[in-house]
Amino acid sequence: MSDPFTFRIDGVAVTAKPGQTIMEAADAAGIYIPRLCDVDGLRHQGGCRVCTVKAGGRSVSSCTQPAEPGLEVENNTEARNRVRRDLVEMLFHEGNHLCPICEKSGNCELQAMAYRLGMTAPTRFPYLEPCRDLDASHPDIALDTNRCISCGRCIRASQDVDGKGVFGYVGRGIHRRVAVNGDNLADTDAVLADKAMSVCPVGCIIRKNEGFRMPIGARHFDHGLIGHEIEEKSK
Amino acid sequence: MAASRLIEISPVTRVEGHGKVTIHLDENNNVDEARLHIVEFRGFERFIRGRLLWEVPVIVQRLCGICPVSHHLAAAKAMDQIVGVDVLPPTAEKMRRLMHYGQVMQSHVLHFFHLAAPDLLFGFGSDFAKRNIFEVIRQNPELGLRAVLMRKFGQEIIEATAGKKIHGTGAIPGGINRNLDIATRDRFLSQVDQMLEWSQGALAIARGYVEDHRALVDSFGSFPSNHMSIVREDGALDLYHGKMRALTPDGAPIFDMLNYNDYHKHIVEDVRSWSYMKFPFIKELGPETGWYRVGPLARMNTADFIDTPLANEAHGALKAYSGGKLNHSTLANHWARMIEVVHCVEKIRELLHDPDLQGTDLRAVGERRHEGVGVIEAPRGNLIHHYKVDENDQVTYCNLIVSTTHNNEGMNRAVKDVAITHLSGQPKITEGMLNHIEVAIRAYDPCLSCATHALGQMPLQVEIYDAGDRLVDRAGQCL
Ligand code: SF4
Ligand code: SF4
Ligand code: FES
């Protein structure tokens, strides 16, 4: 029962251990599946749907779906990537993303995903243009929720790793968003060393006084598309 | 009796931004009044409020695609004060200076060859279709190539210090985020002597133009005014840092060695209903006589000397041209600009030989303050950034006085002066005549989008109104 088995991603045979998700098995095999809410070290949430693949003819989130022997998975195809591009584009429309003046630029997973998926400019949908106040009340941390993509990483990190619950979801449906457990961040027990403060994929959770200290050229995605580290494993 | 008319020139071409000139004529077609209107509005000072202090140098450079480095550095200097740093580590200050000299050089080269040279080489009234950079290159391919390569050199300096040719991120509060690696330094060193030779060639063209057209230069948009800039504490030209100095038309000091944190005690901004651009004046003198000019020519007037030999010699020649007195000729700005190009290249060469550029101490920290002022000499002249920041690191106040705003009254005077000389009594408005007005404005190298903190392109429109304020003629030069 615990023997490794094989399945296929875009026709390539991949070995998986029982209990591994499709994404975990793909990562180990050097195949990158785009993702935004999933990150090493936190439990899977299956929220952003950017990792959606076709598995056995069904659309599933590969970060939560277990691999199965003989499964045929469709990942890096025009159809899958088009859906992903649409999702990413809608995230830009939903928030307020001014990359040229954002300190996360070059280290931002949303921006990097847009580049990888060939999203040149978010122009197809109406902008929601939120205008949310910056929460700079905490001495070491600021929150610009205009850039939040509701990935939930900070919530999981705060609860599961820090044991705190600094962040949580409020509202429902399209109005659901991430908020702090208090009037503002200074009102919570957040500290800079919390895991929650280092997992944000975008420029929403800001470590104060660090912005722009990393020169252009040294930023994470100056050196390759998002996912290139995983893909290099297969080379 | 002919009806009085108003001429409108809109858009003004080969200036950065968008402007409109209206000329009010009386019943005899004489110029009654001429105004440069600034019709766009951007409001940077408002929307920067609430942002985090370290974002400011990156955000405000978006005011401008032509001289973003000036805004980047002026804001960074203000933020240095706010993070409590009065003296930067040498590597940080020198990297910023290198960035600034690269910027001033490329901006001046752009202005001289691409924007001004067509007028200077072919004449203000020459065929409009030929009065452009392409004709300059066609007739002088070697000169055109130099212009392109000099600009490229300046832009690559910016890229090496800020990470990108435009809108980079080099300066941070209290320092800089990179040093210069040896390979990049050596690449610049291999080109810098050539750049110096070419910049001297450009200087010779600009100086020759002024000397060969003395009658025109001395009369065209030439009027006495006060001049203002920062200078080094020993009176030398310093584009990056110094104390404020303002001189009367006769060269007497109005204020000198003024700490620029006190600028607001001496410079007041007036508003007029017909323009989004403010009209600053020196408080000591009042609005009537307190207006002043800034920019390359103003700097040549305020500086006692230049601390690089070739530019200093050229500065001496410019001073001698006006008999040791202040030079008030709008067109002499072109000469002054090329002296500064020589100065910048000399400074770049000096810095490239300085091992501090490879230093690793990039940032200092100090005791937090809540207010900061940064002043720099941008290509177009003095630039003031003033911020207040609260205990949460958020901006609560921002005031910007950009070069074009400082020059607002001067440009209006130049327009009126030229309109009186070249348009009054003429029965018909020709394109060449209208261009004389543009040339006067262009000599200030105005960046009208910066000045109103406005968005978009800036061609110019000219309209003529009669004595009854009826629009009777309109001429535009669309690019
Ligand atoms: S969070 Fe990312 S996508 Fe949003 S503005 Fe910043 S860099 Fe751009
Ligand atoms: S703040 Fe950052 S980590 Fe938290 S949900 Fe928003 S984007 Fe995700
Ligand atoms: S990464 Fe799988 S749903 Fe977000």
Side-chain angles (χ1 to χ4, degrees):
Chain A
M1 185 58 204
S2 63
D3 287 348
F5 59 87
T6 58
F7 69 107
R8 286 175 177 275
I9 301 178
D10 297 330
V12 176
V14 172
T15 306
K17 287 183 241 153
Q20 268 187 322
T21 63
I22 294 173
M23 185 185 280
E24 284 162 350
D27 283 359
I31 295 171
Y32 178 67
I33 302 175
R35 71 205 66 177
L36 283 174
C37 68
D38 202 74
V39 69
D40 280 352
L42 297 182
R43 83 182 132 81
H44 310 302
Q45 175 174 317
C48 73
R49 299 286 152 176
V50 169
C51 69
T52 301
V53 294
K54 273 258 159 93
R58 284 190 311 128
S59 290
V60 297
S61 60
S62 60
C63 67
T64 52
Q65 184 71 23
E68 289 168 32
L71 197 65
E72 290 287 340
V73 174
E74 181 192 323
N75 170 43
N76 191 18
T77 62
E78 179 51 34
R80 286 306 105 224
N81 286 332
R82 190 169 349 104
V83 174
R84 291 168 182 158
R85 194 159 58 232
D86 287 350
L87 285 171
V88 166
E89 190 162 341
M90 283 188 276
L91 290 173
F92 276 90
H93 285 274
E94 191 183 63
N96 215 338
H97 294 272
L98 298 165
C99 296
I101 59 168
C102 176
E103 63 185 80
K104 193 76 173 186
S105 197
N107 289 312
C108 171
E109 293 179 42
L110 178 65
Q111 184 191 53
M113 194 62 75
Y115 277 122
R116 176 168 180 121
L117 296 173
M119 190 203 89
T120 45
T123 52
R124 293 182 300 149
F125 310 114
Y127 282 96
L128 297 187
E129 292 178 342
C131 191
R132 304 180 191 125
D133 283 341
L134 194 77
D135 178 355
S137 58
H138 193 285
D140 304 316
I141 308 154
L143 282 184
D144 186 347
T145 52
N146 295 293
R147 300 169 183 155
C148 177
I149 58 170
S150 292
C151 70
R153 287 187 190 179
C154 55
I155 300 175
R156 283 172 279 152
S158 189
Q159 283 172 353
D160 303 351
V161 183
D162 305 325
K164 285 187 176 177
V166 170
F167 298 97
Y169 286 117
V170 293
R172 302 172 76 88
I174 194 175
H175 301 294
R176 187 182 76 158
R177 54 193 74 273
V178 171
V180 296
N181 185 16
D183 284 346
N184 53 37
L185 202 54
D187 219 29
T188 69
D189 53 355
V191 295
L192 193 60
D194 287 349
K195 175 77 173 168
M197 305 313 153
S198 62
V199 292
C200 183
V202 293
C204 176
I205 301 178
I206 295 166
R207 303 169 74 87
K208 279 190 170 184
N209 293 303
E210 289 185 10
F212 303 106
R213 262 199 236 169
M214 193 183 285
I216 294 170
R219 302 171 308 179
H220 193 82
F221 298 115
D222 288 335
H223 302 294
L225 289 176
I226 188 168
H228 73 97
E229 287 107 332
I230 289 173
E231 286 169 330
E232 267 150 30
K233 283 195 233 161
S234 66
K235 285 183 187 149
Chain B
M1 187 186 76
S4 65
R5 300 186 296 160
L6 183 139
I7 306 172
E8 176 180 291
I9 307 184
S10 176
V12 183
T13 61
R14 284 177 282 139
V15 290
E16 318 290 353
H18 184 116
K20 181 174 88 167
V21 167
T22 58
I23 300 168
H24 295 258
L25 301 180
D26 65 15
E27 287 79 359
N28 303 315
N29 282 349
N30 287 320
V31 174
D32 189 33
E33 192 164 14
R35 293 168 173 170
L36 173 62
H37 299 246
I38 304 304
V39 292
E40 289 169 275
F41 181 69
R42 199 170 192 173
F44 249 87
E45 287 151 327
R46 180 64 193 86
F47 70 66
I48 199 78
R49 273 190 238 161
R51 294 315 309 181
L52 299 162
L53 73 94
W54 54 90
E55 297 179 325
V56 173
V58 175
I59 295 177
V60 292
Q61 62 179 340
R62 296 274 159 180
L63 273 164
C64 185
I66 306 296
C67 59
V69 167
S70 308
H71 291 293
H72 180 59
L73 292 177
K77 287 178 75 176
M79 293 309 161
D80 294 342
Q81 292 188 350
I82 287 176
V83 299
V85 174
D86 294 318
V87 182
L88 294 179
T91 304
E93 168 156 345
K94 287 172 185 175
M95 284 294 286
R96 286 194 193 178
R97 281 185 177 270
L98 183 63
M99 189 194 301
H100 191 43
Y101 295 128
Q103 149 80 358
V104 176
M105 174 200 174
Q106 71 88 22
S107 174
H108 279 357
V109 166
L110 171 80
H111 180 269
F112 184 69
F113 287 102
H114 296 246
L115 308 181
D119 298 325
L120 304 187
L121 292 175
F122 308 135
F124 308 161
S126 61
D127 179 6
F128 178 64
K130 288 196 169 165
R131 216 180 333 115
N132 55 48
I133 180 65
F134 304 108
E135 191 63 18
V136 173
I137 293 174
R138 205 183 65 73
Q139 293 195 18
N140 310 271
E142 177 61 26
L143 196 65
L145 182 67
R146 285 181 190 184
V148 171
L149 292 179
M150 286 173 78
R151 181 136 193 266
K152 183 162 173 271
F153 181 80
Q155 286 181 316
E156 284 175 355
I157 295 263
I158 298 171
E159 187 177 28
T161 47
K164 279 165 72 187
K165 286 184 179 141
I166 53 163
H167 300 141
T169 65
I172 52 176
I176 191 91
N177 68 14
R178 61 172 69 225
N179 64 10
L180 192 72
D181 64 76
I182 299 274
T184 310
R185 179 199 69 184
D186 290 347
R187 182 161 56 82
F188 290 135
L189 274 174
S190 71
Q191 302 168 38
V192 73
D193 289 334
Q194 179 71 84
M195 292 302 142
L196 193 54
E197 190 189 317
W198 288 350
S199 61
Q200 287 174 276
L203 169 63
I205 295 172
R207 176 181 174 173
Y209 177 82
V210 171
E211 288 177 341
D212 294 349
H213 298 80
R214 180 149 203 156
L216 173 70
V217 171
D218 289 352
S219 63
F220 186 89
S222 179
F223 43 84
S225 74
N226 308 305
H227 293 266
M228 201 269 289
S229 79
I230 52 171
V231 290
R232 208 166 68 181
E233 292 198 25
D234 60 358
L237 175 74
D238 193 335
L239 299 172
Y240 177 76
H241 193 63
K243 299 255 159 102
M244 291 174 91
R245 171 181 279 180
L247 302 176
T248 66
D250 300 328
I254 306 166
F255 52 73
D256 199 7
M257 293 301 139
L258 180 74
N259 178 345
Y260 59 58
N261 278 57
D262 293 331
Y263 81 93
H264 53 279
K265 295 183 188 155
H266 301 267
I267 293 172
V268 186
E269 291 181 279
D270 212 4
V271 288
R272 314 244 165 111
S273 60
W274 45 271
S275 179
Y276 276 126
M277 193 153 72
K278 292 177 179 171
F279 286 80
F281 62 88
I282 295 168
K283 207 172 178 178
E284 287 88 332
L285 303 179
E288 270 310 302
T289 56
W291 59 277
Y292 53 91
R293 289 188 276 183
V294 302
L297 184 63
R299 291 192 284 253
M300 293 302 119
N301 283 328
T302 52
D304 299 329
F305 67 102
I306 300 180
D307 69 342
T308 57
L310 295 170
N312 191 45
E313 199 183 310
H315 179 245
L318 179 79
K319 285 257 178 203
Y321 176 88
S322 53
K325 301 204 174 73
L326 299 199
N327 189 322
H328 296 291
S329 307
T330 291
L331 288 177
N333 260 303
H334 296 303
W335 185 357
R337 210 168 270 127
M338 290 307 104
I339 294 174
E340 291 190 339
V341 170
V342 171
H343 172 65
C344 287
V345 180
E346 287 182 289
K347 278 289 187 190
I348 289 169
R349 188 169 65 172
E350 192 181 300
L351 283 167
L352 290 174
H353 285 289
D354 189 330
D356 277 346
L357 286 188
Q358 281 76 49
T360 52
D361 182 12
L362 302 182
R363 193 173 65 92
V365 283
E367 190 82 0
R368 250 318 262 291
R369 301 173 190 142
H370 290 296
E371 189 164 357
V373 178
V375 178
I376 201 163
E377 287 296 324
R380 290 153 185 81
N382 188 268
L383 171 65
I384 300 174
H385 279 222
H386 181 187
Y387 303 95
K388 290 179 190 166
V389 174
D390 68 15
E391 61 285 355
N392 289 338
D393 305 310
Q394 289 177 285
V395 174
T396 56
Y397 169 87
C398 165
N399 187 38
L400 311 173
I401 308 182
V402 307
S403 323
T404 302
T405 304
H406 287 299
N407 277 331
N408 199 359
E409 186 70 38
M411 284 192 295
N412 273 277
R413 302 249 171 174
V415 166
K416 184 170 183 186
D417 197 66
V418 171
I420 288 170
T421 315
H422 295 269
L423 293 174
S424 282
Q426 300 279 349
K428 198 167 176 293
I429 312 304
T430 64
E431 193 277 322
M433 289 155 71
L434 290 179
N435 195 54
H436 278 80
I437 290 181
E438 288 195 41
V439 171
I441 299 171
R442 204 175 298 131
Y444 292 91
D445 194 7
C447 188
L448 303 188
S449 49
C450 284
T452 52
H453 322 144
L455 198 62
Q457 296 297 308
M458 198 196 71
L460 171 78
Q461 274 189 334
V462 175
E463 289 174 354
I464 310 185
Y465 290 88
D466 64 16
D469 251 0
R470 285 180 296 268
L471 177 65
V472 292
D473 202 2
R474 170 182 290 188
Q477 296 186 344
C478 291
L479 280 172

